[in-house]
Amino acid sequence: MKRILLYTVLFLLLCCISSCLDDKNDFNYRQINELNGSIENMNGWYTVSVEEDLYLKPTFKFTIDSIHPDVSYEWYLDGELLDVKTPDYTFNAAKTGKYEVTYSVVDNKTGVKFSKSAEITVRSPYLVGWLILSEKDGKSALSFIKMRTVKRDDIDAEGNPVERDSIIFYDVEKYFRPDLGTEPKGLMEHIGVEYDFGFSDAVYDEIVVMQGKDNWVELNGNTMEHEVYTKEEFGNDLPENFEPVEAAMTFSSKLIRDKNGFIYLHRKVLANDYHAGSYISVPLANSTKFKGLYQAHKLYNRNYYVIPACTEDNSLVGIWDAGRYNEYSLDGTPSAITENSSRNDGNIVELTENTDEKHFKQMSKNVIAMIPATCGRDNRFDVTDSYIVPKWLALMEEKGTYSMRYFGLEGDTSGGIVTVTDFKEVPVDARVFAAGYVDMAVFQHKKYVVFASGKEIWYCPYGGSTSNAVLLKKFDQNIVSISSHDVEEYTRDGDIYHNGHLGVALENGDFFIYEVVEEDKVLDNITVNQLYPSPETEDKDNNNFGKIVDTLYKFGNA
């Protein structure tokens, strides 16, 4: 009996084994190649200029056949399959716009496809870069230095080799706009609008070329084509003896001071149209005369309320600029500035201080120059304070002695009051202006200013309790203009520090771009490295721009 039972069990076991063998022959249990991680060396988005090459060569690794995989490659542009079978692809577009490039690697053994896409924004070649205004044959002429981002080898904080994005200045268009007018005086950029919480890229910038007499011209910042002469925005009611001297422009208004000291207001109707509306031919504040009008922060935020100006009695005041818009409709459609919010535009307000001493009423010191400075936090290492208050840096002078005045202006719309905040003033080292003041460039993110004096450029941090000065460089020619491109201090990851860029124009027509290197932010170890002319451009003989009048780093949009 036991033997019969044993035979029965053995028979059933043989049946199971046979069944399993049959199953293995009936079904395919081959392992499928999968990605070991993800597709690398390809970002999710890129920005390039028209006709600029973007070289893409993604990398991957399979879980099986990782050394010599049997694969083929596909590339798609906006969903259309391209005739490209290689593992790399060079993108180049002749028109501005947004494009989608998709890379696919196909496992030939299984037919399984793995893909990754990138959104590529193609911008105008004139959108971002350095503008140079020269006088050529008695006329105004614009030149443009293009920039692009390339990959370069670097070392991270742990000493490991990594690739970094690096800006290079690679091409020059000299005198590409020679037909602007005569008597060039300067450049200014009117850039787009900003959300309360973030940026909009729907509105491009506009460039104003300031020239002698009444012939200012405004150019489309995307195409650099002529849009309007400033005087035309008065319609048929141009003020008598009008000759513009200074301007300040925000998203909701445009202000011009003429040689007679009068300020005229252009109250904009649309936030994303620089020319909707017109200038009022009656001067502000019952024809009050002003000796200075200073640029405001051009990007709107809920606390940007005033444009600074200086009256004839040397008092610094604010010109109300409280327009608001529908911040959720900046997709290129008209964005109306609400009538209720703009009703006080152009009103003059005194600056209320939180101290007993009045620093802005009938000042004994004169404003030599004033530029928008840091917004928000005073501590450059404190990233927790997100409350934004617009601030300015003014160079003040009294009997040949100079000082840096740093302050914020906070508006209260309900009471129409503007309060001075974070007021600090420190003397400037006497050595800085021994050769005479020429120009200044403020680095808002880094909180330092570079002064040009004679043939020298000086580094001075601002916003602190004391003043320090470091001689950055001395040239063999007098300086005529400096301008700055202040890269955001840190990347989104917070681990890579970006140096600011400084443009320097010399009397003989040479133009240079440097990065200002703060090594451990120790003031006795501040240096400059030359970025332009560079190996990419030095053989093109494009470094001289004749009689340079002004320079400007062009941001392009918000």
Side-chain angles (χ1 to χ4, degrees):
M1 189 70 182
K2 290 181 180 180
R3 183 171 296 179
I4 294 174
L5 181 60
L6 177 62
Y7 289 155
T8 302
V9 172
L10 290 174
F11 176 76
L12 292 174
L13 182 60
L14 289 173
C15 289
C16 289
I17 294 173
S18 175
S19 176
C20 290
L21 290 173
D22 289 342
D23 284 347
K24 190 171 183 179
N25 290 330
D26 291 342
F27 298 95
N28 186 356
Y29 285 104
R30 289 180 300 168
Q31 289 183 290
I32 297 177
N33 249 337
E34 295 182 351
L35 283 180
N36 185 1
S38 60
I39 294 174
E40 303 290 342
N41 201 34
M42 180 175 176
N43 297 335
W45 56 270
Y46 296 90
T47 301
V48 295
S49 294
V50 169
E51 296 183 347
E52 177 185 343
D53 287 343
L54 174 63
Y55 180 68
L56 299 172
K57 189 175 183 180
T59 58
F60 67 93
K61 195 170 185 179
F62 279 157
T63 54
I64 304 175
D65 300 331
S66 60
I67 305 300
H68 300 293
D70 179 14
V71 297
S72 55
Y73 302 96
E74 295 176 354
W75 289 91
Y76 297 82
L77 179 61
D78 292 335
E80 297 291 330
L81 179 64
L82 300 174
D83 187 21
V84 179
K85 309 298 183 183
T86 57
D88 58 344
Y89 167 63
T90 299
F91 171 86
N92 186 298
K95 295 182 179 180
T96 61
K98 290 186 182 295
Y99 300 82
E100 183 184 62
V101 170
T102 301
Y103 160 84
S104 295
V105 55
V106 183
D107 183 358
N108 292 330
K109 292 180 179 179
T110 62
V112 177
K113 182 185 299 185
F114 304 92
S115 303
K116 185 173 183 178
S117 297
E119 181 183 276
I120 303 175
T121 299
V122 179
R123 65 191 180 199
S124 162
Y126 305 119
L127 192 61
V128 178
W130 293 83
L131 267 178
I132 300 174
L133 176 64
S134 304
E135 182 176 326
K136 179 175 171 58
D137 301 326
K139 298 181 179 180
S140 302
L142 279 178
S143 300
F144 195 78
I145 300 176
K146 299 176 184 177
M147 57 177 282
R148 69 182 178 194
T149 302
V150 297
K151 296 285 187 181
R152 285 185 171 170
D153 294 332
D154 199 357
I155 303 296
D156 64 15
E158 286 75 34
N160 301 313
V162 294
E163 276 192 336
R164 303 282 198 212
D165 287 341
S166 179
I167 292 174
I168 64 168
F169 303 96
Y170 72 102
D171 197 11
V172 178
E173 285 197 44
K174 192 179 289 187
Y175 310 136
F176 75 102
R177 282 304 310 266
D179 55 345
L180 300 170
T182 60
E183 301 180 57
K185 303 294 183 184
L187 295 168
M188 70 174 295
E189 183 181 32
H190 184 187
I191 55 181
V193 294
E194 178 192 13
Y195 290 132
D196 274 355
F197 302 98
F199 295 115
S200 165
D201 62 358
V203 183
Y204 292 110
D205 65 334
E206 182 169 79
I207 294 297
V208 181
V209 181
M210 298 179 282
Q211 302 175 114
K213 305 301 180 184
D214 60 351
N215 198 30
W216 284 18
V217 62
E218 302 182 27
L219 307 176
N220 182 295
N222 197 29
T223 65
M224 297 305 292
E225 295 175 343
H226 175 276
E227 289 201 332
V228 69
Y229 289 109
T230 299
K231 64 180 181 181
E232 293 174 342
E233 297 209 305
F234 283 91
N236 297 321
D237 203 10
L238 188 69
E240 188 177 356
N241 298 321
F242 174 77
E243 186 178 324
V245 176
E246 293 172 325
M249 298 184 178
T250 68
F251 86 99
S252 61
S253 64
K254 299 161 74 170
L255 296 167
I256 283 185
R257 185 178 76 88
D258 75 353
K259 67 176 182 179
N260 302 308
F262 298 126
I263 292 180
Y264 299 92
L265 169 67
H266 181 303
R267 181 178 293 158
K268 290 173 62 179
V269 179
L270 301 175
N272 52 358
D273 187 340
Y274 296 115
H275 308 293
S278 62
Y279 281 99
I280 301 170
S281 60
V282 178
L284 285 184
N286 297 318
S287 298
T288 296
K289 288 193 174 185
F290 296 83
K291 60 184 295 186
L293 174 65
Y294 310 105
Q295 188 54 263
H297 290 262
K298 301 185 185 75
L299 301 180
Y300 170 72
N301 195 282
R302 57 196 177 282
N303 300 310
Y304 293 6
Y305 288 129
V306 290
I307 300 169
C310 191
T311 58
E312 278 201 321
D313 69 351
N314 211 36
S315 295
L316 200 64
V317 298
I319 300 175
W320 201 257
D321 177 47
R324 294 186 70 88
Y325 62 95
N326 182 356
E327 61 239 41
Y328 300 105
S329 63
L330 293 175
D331 56 356
T333 59
S335 300
I337 299 168
T338 64
E339 181 179 352
N340 180 59
S341 68
S342 65
R343 66 185 184 278
N344 291 323
D345 280 9
N347 288 355
I348 307 300
V349 290
E350 291 188 359
L351 307 182
T352 303
E353 296 187 64
N354 291 324
T355 61
D356 294 332
E357 182 180 0
K358 298 297 180 183
H359 297 97
F360 297 99
K361 184 75 172 177
Q362 296 179 341
M363 302 177 295
S364 61
K365 300 179 179 180
N366 295 311
V367 179
I368 302 301
M370 187 158 68
I371 298 178
T374 311
C375 284
R377 54 185 183 268
D378 267 331
N379 185 346
R380 64 193 296 182
F381 304 108
D382 179 11
V383 297
T384 61
D385 182 8
S386 60
Y387 185 64
I388 298 175
V389 175
K391 298 181 181 180
W392 282 262
L393 182 71
L395 177 64
M396 311 296 294
E397 183 270 339
E398 183 178 17
K399 298 179 180 179
T401 300
Y402 294 87
S403 61
M404 289 186 294
R405 177 176 293 187
Y406 175 62
F407 61 94
L409 297 177
E410 184 175 0
D412 177 4
T413 53
S414 59
I417 298 172
V418 177
T419 304
V420 176
T421 67
D422 304 307
F423 181 92
K424 295 174 184 176
E425 186 160 350
V426 293
V428 178
D429 191 314
R431 299 174 299 162
V432 172
F433 298 121
Y437 170 80
V438 175
D439 203 357
M440 65 185 282
V442 171
F443 291 75
Q444 293 92 345
H445 294 301
K446 314 296 190 309
K447 295 188 70 173
Y448 64 79
V449 59
V450 173
F451 291 114
S453 172
K455 300 177 181 179
E456 301 172 341
I457 50 174
W458 290 80
Y459 165 102
C460 298
Y462 66 79
S465 57
T466 60
S467 173
N468 297 277
V470 176
L471 176 62
L472 287 177
K473 189 173 180 63
K474 185 171 183 177
F475 298 87
D476 59 2
Q477 297 280 327
N478 285 324
I479 300 168
V480 296
S481 172
I482 62 174
S483 51
S484 61
H485 169 210
D486 194 13
V487 185
E488 178 66 52
E489 188 167 2
Y490 292 99
T491 62
R492 293 168 184 165
D493 296 331
D495 61 346
I496 305 172
Y497 184 83
H498 294 290
N499 297 314
H501 295 170
L502 176 72
V504 181
L506 302 183
E507 194 173 42
N508 67 348
D510 288 345
F511 180 73
F512 300 91
I513 302 172
Y514 300 94
E515 62 173 341
V516 181
V517 182
E518 298 177 287
E519 296 186 18
D520 299 323
K521 301 181 178 63
V522 178
L523 289 179
D524 60 358
N525 198 13
I526 309 297
T527 58
V528 291
N529 291 332
Q530 183 173 311
L531 301 178
Y532 174 88
S534 64
E536 291 83 2
T537 60
E538 62 186 6
D539 60 339
K540 298 182 180 181
D541 192 28
N542 281 329
N543 188 40
N544 191 279
F545 298 88
K547 185 180 179 180
I548 298 177
V549 175
D550 198 12
T551 61
L552 174 73
Y553 176 78
K554 190 172 178 293
F555 283 92
N557 60 22

